[in-house]
Amino acid sequence: MKDQTLKQQITEVATRYPAPRSAVMPALHLAQAHYGYLTQEAMAEVAEYLHLPRVTVLEIATFYSLFHTRPVGKYHLQLCTNLSCMLLGAERLQRQLEQQLHIRCGETTADGRFTLTAVECLGACEMAPVMQLNDDYCGHLNEQRLAEMLQTLQEEPNRKPENGPPSS
Amino acid sequence: MYEQVFLLEKRDSEYQDLAGYRSGGGYSALSSTLRDSTPEQLIELVKEAKLRGRGGAGFPTGLKWSFVPKGGTSAKWLLCNADEGEPGTFKDRIIMEQTPHLLLEGMILAAYAIGAAKAYIYIRGEYVIAIRRLEREIQACLQAGLLGKNILGSGFDLDIYLHRGAGAYICGEETALIESLEGNRGQPRFKPPFPAVSGFYKGPTVINNVETLACVPPIVQRGADWFRSIGSEKCPGPKLYCLSGHVKRPGLYELPMGISLRELVEQHAGGTHSGKKIKAVIPGGISAALLPEPALDIAMDFDALSAAGTMLGSAGVIVMDESTCMVRVAHRIIEFFHHESCGKCTPCREGLAWIEQMLRRIEDSEAQSGDLESMERLYGNIEGNTFCLLGDGAVMALRGVVKNFRHEFIERIQQGARAA
Ligand SMILES: Cc1cc2nc3c(=O)[nH]c(=O)nc-3n(C[C@H](O)[C@H](O)[C@H](O)COP(=O)(O)O)c2cc1C
Ligand code: SF4
């Protein structure tokens, strides 16, 4: 079912730009926060509210790495593997995560709870090695901290991310 | 003793909100400018200060602003480049988290100088804390009459909007940023026309980096002479340096432009965390060619680093100690650029894919003699033949590694030959 709040939010955000087309990224962020990922319906709604062809919306959604056109786990672990983190052991941490979650980077666990992604620089090299757990940055990682974090997440099925997504 | 102006040392939220920022003299630069100066006078002041853009290229900011045509009917735009994607860089994030009003005040001043009534901050999608804080503080400014209609009773209007990016390094390139902001795929546009003449929706557009804009309020408050008294004649002012990698004290350092790279790494950041010798340092984000240890006695400014075949770039300083494998480093760097290539032009898209494969073979000791030379020919063909500077940055970075540590590549290739 279509959601009126989403429609309102998208219509409002479109007024900030000279043309509604500019609002396609904020609209996709809003739709993704609303539906969890960019389903076909979500993208169709964005297209409708901004008066854009669906193919345009799909094209934008697939160009950018933060937009997900497939479901992601409840906990999305995004480990930075760029140079500063690599120098401080990110590759070891990546192997550890893959072993403990029994998945490779780019995959989601069978129960749908964890998605693991190797990402490029997160812009937080002062706390390398660093990863993002949903929206939150977790820095100064080592094997022990990572093992403890995973254990907490695995034991606490209802842990909510600390903050909701930003509104724009 | 160098006195800090970015106020980043004042942690614990002192300057994170409007009241705190104002108690330290914040927005006095804006009120005095709106009261006493014309836009032209403000542009002159920024020219006199010799402020050069902190986004990478070091372009003179006052000059950039002066390219915007005066008057005219089409709307003018100010875009703040807060996409900060250059690996090894985190200065803009910390400015936005710790002193968001320094950026906002700088933007209001810049918009006044060029006559823009709307401005956008194109901010990295991952920077959620900074996004929330800026959203909150923009609201506070609207309520305090510092944004919106008739700012501080001056008759000048400005709205600032946040535009959240979505994970594409190329959108930090200014014309790709404009494309992205217009709702297209973030792929660079041909220049000319330059954005100052025809940019966002074909209107005159100024794009400035976060740190560049944050330099403007202190220039207004303390004067152009003060700004020029810091750093060197051609590259003056305070500068933020991002230290990471094998250093004892990683973090953000505010020091004069032109400080020696060795002093920055060995004294301020405490040398290597392991106590091992330094092997090489990347001075300006991974697009910048690395400098081997003996070359560290160099000034961290646009001109000195460019003369040495590298660049100040984003001032992302990445330190590598002697345990670092340079073949691995080269491979990782090229994987990054290949991943971030926007696909618009063949030399970048295809060339980087080939180089990445060659580097993987060298790293896995599967390469044969002659492969290193083929790779060098290939990247020689990419350089200068790409649509935007991403391809050139990739080559500059790789060339730096191969030139200084060629023997490591040859050793790997020979290992492979022996094993075969
Ligand atoms: C591939 C590429 C990526 C870039 N990324 C950024 C960036 O993340 N942030 C930035 O401010 N400038 C970046 N730039 C530089 C911008 O194109 C532009 O020169 C800069 O934002 C201008 O601001 P300034 O004059 O204040 O330095 C990038 C350039 C290239 C070629
Ligand atoms: S050089 Fe690379 S990033 Fe730049 S336009 Fe060409 S393909 Fe795109």
Side-chain angles (χ1 to χ4, degrees):
Chain A
M1 208 197 69
K2 280 192 203 170
D3 187 282
Q4 288 305 311
T5 26
L6 183 61
K7 181 174 182 175
Q8 264 170 16
Q9 286 175 322
I10 292 179
T11 320
E12 190 281 318
V13 90
T15 64
R16 302 177 187 177
Y17 300 94
R21 180 171 181 141
S22 275
V24 63
M25 285 170 76
L28 286 170
H29 278 302
L30 287 166
Q32 181 159 287
H34 190 83
Y35 288 103
Y37 73 101
L38 294 171
T39 58
Q40 290 296 326
E41 304 91 84
M43 288 187 279
E45 275 185 65
V46 168
E48 185 192 324
Y49 303 150
L50 297 177
H51 312 290
L52 293 171
R54 284 191 192 193
V55 54
T56 305
V57 174
L58 180 67
E59 186 192 47
I60 300 303
T62 49
F63 183 81
Y64 296 97
S65 65
L66 297 189
F67 293 136
H68 308 297
T69 50
R70 282 182 308 169
V72 278
K74 180 171 176 199
Y75 302 119
H76 190 186
L77 308 180
Q78 299 158 89
L79 182 72
C80 174
T81 56
N82 209 290
L83 191 53
S84 301
C85 285
M86 181 190 105
L87 292 169
L88 297 177
E91 290 165 305
R92 251 191 348 264
L93 300 178
Q94 181 180 337
R95 281 193 298 276
Q96 183 187 349
L97 283 168
E98 290 180 333
Q99 275 164 15
Q100 294 198 353
L101 295 169
H102 305 290
I103 51 173
R104 306 284 299 271
C105 278
E107 295 175 352
T108 301
T109 51
D111 60 7
R113 290 186 60 217
F114 293 91
T115 298
L116 179 61
T117 315
V119 295
E120 296 297 357
C121 185
L122 287 167
C125 326
E126 83 279 21
M127 46 172 123
V130 60
M131 82 174 178
Q132 244 188 321
L133 166 58
N134 298 339
D135 278 343
D136 301 330
Y137 278 69
C138 315
H140 307 291
L141 292 174
N142 55 35
E143 275 102 332
Q144 198 192 335
R145 282 200 56 181
L146 200 55
E148 284 165 9
M149 265 183 64
L150 277 184
Q151 199 178 4
T152 323
L153 293 178
Q154 278 164 333
E155 282 168 5
E156 266 183 71
N158 291 318
R159 176 190 181 275
K160 287 218 172 58
E162 268 148 42
N163 300 296
S167 60
S168 68
Chain B
M1 176 65 194
Y2 173 75
E3 186 204 347
Q4 300 199 321
V5 290
F6 286 103
L7 314 171
L8 300 175
E9 83 282 18
K10 306 259 180 194
R11 293 287 152 149
D12 305 328
S13 75
E14 260 183 84
Y15 284 106
Q16 283 173 8
D17 64 12
L18 184 54
Y21 183 67
R22 281 191 134 165
S23 72
Y27 288 103
S28 63
L30 179 67
S31 58
S32 68
T33 301
L34 292 181
R35 193 181 57 231
D36 305 327
S37 308
T38 62
E40 291 74 23
Q41 285 171 324
L42 176 56
I43 295 179
E44 267 322 297
L45 178 72
V46 172
K47 277 189 184 167
E48 260 172 54
K50 298 200 172 148
L51 171 61
R52 293 174 66 175
R54 272 36 174 171
F59 193 84
T61 306
L63 189 63
K64 186 185 269 189
W65 294 0
S66 71
F67 290 153
V68 173
K70 305 270 167 305
T73 48
S74 62
K76 295 161 189 158
W77 308 96
L78 173 70
L79 309 182
C80 168
N81 192 340
D83 202 37
E84 193 162 66
E86 181 67 28
T89 316
F90 44 87
K91 64 190 178 69
D92 298 340
R93 189 194 94 241
I94 294 184
I95 293 177
M96 294 186 286
E97 288 179 359
Q98 298 298 329
T99 55
H101 286 284
L102 202 56
L103 170 62
L104 295 175
E105 187 177 7
M107 286 183 72
I108 305 171
L109 286 163
Y112 176 69
I114 64 165
K118 273 192 187 166
Y120 298 89
I121 304 175
Y122 191 110
I123 185 168
R124 251 197 100 148
E126 291 91 340
Y127 285 179
V128 168
I129 294 178
I131 291 172
R132 284 204 198 92
R133 206 155 281 164
L134 282 164
E135 273 175 350
R136 188 185 73 199
E137 297 311 315
I138 288 172
Q139 285 308 317
C141 285
L142 282 165
Q143 271 158 26
L146 293 161
L147 277 176
K149 292 259 173 272
N150 192 18
I151 294 173
L152 297 175
S154 66
F156 173 62
D157 306 336
L158 177 69
D159 280 307
I160 297 182
Y161 300 108
L162 285 178
H163 184 92
R164 185 177 174 204
Y169 170 69
I170 192 59
C171 289
E173 195 281 333
E174 56 186 21
T175 61
L177 186 150
I178 294 175
E179 281 290 318
S180 175
L181 198 58
E182 288 184 4
N184 303 319
R185 283 187 299 175
Q187 290 182 317
R189 269 185 200 173
F190 190 77
K191 290 190 276 194
F194 288 93
V197 178
S198 174
F200 185 51
Y201 288 100
K202 296 203 162 62
T205 304
V206 162
I207 300 139
N208 275 131
N209 171 259
V210 172
E211 186 187 351
T212 311
L213 291 162
C215 285
V216 177
I219 290 175
V220 172
Q221 227 175 6
R222 298 161 187 240
D225 287 342
W226 161 79
F227 194 80
R228 279 204 317 271
S229 73
I230 302 165
S232 67
E233 196 199 324
K234 289 198 171 136
C235 306
K239 181 74 194 95
L240 296 175
Y241 302 98
C242 315
L243 272 290
S244 72
H246 292 146
V247 280
K248 196 182 263 171
R249 292 188 291 274
L252 189 65
Y253 291 83
E254 181 190 333
L255 288 159
M257 178 80 89
I259 188 176
S260 124
L261 178 55
R262 187 179 298 284
E263 185 188 334
L264 186 59
V265 170
E266 292 184 350
Q267 290 172 31
H268 294 279
T272 61
H273 66 335
S274 56
K276 290 185 184 133
K277 279 207 209 108
I278 295 172
K279 186 168 183 176
V281 177
I282 294 174
I286 69 166
S287 305
L290 58 71
L291 292 163
E293 196 280 337
L296 297 189
D297 300 289
I298 190 168
M300 287 292 283
D301 71 35
F302 297 110
D303 303 332
L305 287 167
S306 151
T310 180
M311 60 181 178
L312 180 62
S314 62
V317 177
I318 307 175
V319 177
M320 293 171 265
D321 73 18
E322 61 184 356
S323 70
T324 312
C325 167
M326 288 299 166
V327 178
R328 179 80 203 104
V329 168
H331 187 193
R332 194 67 270 282
I333 289 176
I334 291 302
E335 277 176 340
F336 167 76
F337 284 109
H338 176 223
H339 180 251
E340 297 298 336
S341 167
C342 81
K344 183 168 177 139
C345 57
T346 321
C348 171
R349 186 186 63 229
E350 302 297 330
L352 291 178
W354 274 98
I355 293 180
E356 186 187 317
Q357 280 180 31
M358 287 170 154
L359 283 167
R360 190 198 54 74
R361 287 219 307 272
I362 296 177
E363 195 185 353
D364 294 349
S365 300
E366 288 168 10
Q368 292 164 356
S369 70
D371 279 7
L372 185 58
E373 291 73 17
S374 322
M375 184 176 84
E376 288 176 298
R377 271 196 301 280
L378 190 55
Y379 64 63
N381 285 334
I382 297 180
E383 207 167 28
N385 289 319
T386 55
F387 194 80
C388 85
L389 290 172
L390 182 142
D392 282 350
V395 174
M396 185 201 253
L398 179 57
R399 201 185 274 291
V401 187
V402 177
K403 189 178 98 193
N404 290 292
F405 299 98
R406 196 181 177 81
H407 57 278
E408 292 191 24
F409 290 79
I410 292 173
E411 264 163 41
R412 276 298 172 96
I413 294 170
Q414 287 171 346
Q415 267 170 23
R418 274 197 300 275

